[in-house]
Amino acid sequence: DIPQALRHDTAPPVVDRAVTAAVNPAPFEAAWTATDGLASKPGAVQQTFLHPDAAAPSVIANVVRFDQSAVRVVYVPGLSEPGGTWAWGSQVPRDQRKTLVAAFNAGFKFKDTAGGVYTEGRNAVRPLQVGIASLVIGKDGKADVEAWPGDSALSSVASVRQNLSLIVDGGRPVDGLTSDKGLKWGTKKSQFQYTWRASVGVDAKGRLIYAAGSQMTMMQLATAMVDAGAVRAMELDIHDGVVTFNWYRQAPTTPLGVEGMKLTPSMQRKADRYLAPDQRDFFAIQAR
């Protein structure tokens, strides 16, 4: 199940390459290619796909990379996760879609993680917890992924969404992913089962990386992030019907103002998800 934009005989020129465990890579596998037709400047968004596990050739990670000098990240709270009343009304409002590039799922339900949320100047669910893996969005719209150091860092922060523990740190999968003795990444059932998974991280150049795939273990997801160049990464949400990544291309004469397209055809939710109020929180990517 490779990205829709790469399901053809031709593709945009290769920018550079990621790593893949495939013995005989498919065309364009692990090749970063520019994603055309978006509101962002050419080359600012790239995608590829790769095999993270030579022993499981059916497992494919679909990966997107964002140049954060050209895009900004916005955290959008959902109607029930975390709940409450927020500026964007749990969707990307019509007046924000003229620069909309993409949107993707956030983390676990808050009953299943010890983490919290900070956005729009206040906490939701619970205060932020030190050490929890966090996607941290600065007031400049640039995102980082880190183990939360404490609220002394909030002076320059717009939003923080916490979820579980880091799965990649120092450019490698963290210790314990194959045992999870401390239950840092959910229950052992969720840890080892083969299911849809998504992750977000940053590389050494500060680019934001998103990866998703079906029938993946936690270790396969972490390996995919490392192969894509991530130096730090956290898991987002898991399971069918939850993992969502949609592109949005400008269509100003249409009722929605944009046209959506799934990252991969087998993602279950509609391509216009996040253009109406959603129960779950998510991240929106806008062109600067």
Side-chain angles (χ1 to χ4, degrees), residues 265-283:
S266 62
M267 287 181 168
Q268 294 185 7
R269 300 297 290 271
K270 293 181 179 180
D272 60 359
R273 187 183 186 185
Y274 306 133
L275 302 180
D278 201 90
Q279 295 295 322
R280 303 293 296 271
D281 53 348
F282 63 95
F283 297 100

Side-chain angles (χ1 to χ4, degrees), residues 3-236:
Q4 286 187 315
L6 300 179
R7 295 171 65 86
H8 308 288
D9 294 333
T10 61
V14 173
V15 178
D16 54 41
R17 291 189 176 272
V19 174
T20 181
V23 177
N24 297 302
F28 311 116
E29 180 166 352
W32 290 110
T33 59
T35 306
D36 295 331
L38 304 176
S40 54
K41 68 181 184 181
V45 184
Q46 300 151 15
Q47 62 179 309
T48 192
F49 66 98
L50 53 88
H51 288 81
D53 188 347
S58 65
V59 174
I60 296 175
N62 303 283
V63 194
V64 181
R65 186 170 73 178
F66 299 96
D67 176 356
Q68 296 201 77
S69 70
V71 302
R72 62 190 295 267
V73 185
V74 180
Y75 171 70
V76 186
L79 292 172
S80 61
E81 300 291 333
T85 302
W86 307 93
W88 279 20
S90 302
Q91 64 177 315
V92 181
R94 185 67 166 77
D95 63 0
Q96 295 291 335
R97 296 175 192 170
K98 60 186 177 182
T99 58
L100 183 61
V101 171
F104 56 85
N105 61 287
F108 278 36
K109 290 182 177 181
F110 288 96
K111 68 181 179 64
D112 297 320
T113 175
V117 163
Y118 173 87
T119 194
E120 298 183 23
R122 66 187 195 270
N123 291 313
V125 183
R126 62 183 67 91
L128 299 176
Q129 305 296 303
V130 174
I132 297 288
S134 306
L135 191 146
V136 181
I137 304 171
K139 293 178 179 178
D140 61 359
K142 293 183 178 181
D144 196 3
V145 173
E146 62 180 339
W148 183 243
D151 288 357
S152 60
L154 283 176
S155 61
S156 61
V157 166
S159 300
V160 180
R161 207 302 188 177
Q162 298 192 302
N163 193 51
L164 310 175
S165 296
L166 291 177
I167 63 172
V168 173
D169 197 13
R172 64 179 185 83
V174 301
D175 293 337
L177 288 180
T178 57
S179 61
D180 197 19
K181 292 181 179 179
L183 299 180
K184 296 179 180 179
W185 302 280
T187 65
K188 287 188 176 181
K189 179 180 178 181
S190 66
Q191 166 79 6
F192 300 115
Q193 70 184 122
Y194 297 95
T195 189
W196 268 101
R197 297 181 187 271
S199 178
V200 67
V202 291
D203 68 10
K205 293 184 177 181
R207 292 173 294 200
L208 190 71
I209 297 174
Y210 173 94
S214 64
Q215 300 301 305
M216 299 182 79
T217 65
M218 179 79 80
M219 179 57 80
Q220 289 168 341
L221 180 66
T223 300
M225 291 299 288
V226 171
D227 290 348
V231 293
R232 291 182 301 282
M234 59 186 275
E235 189 174 42
L236 295 174

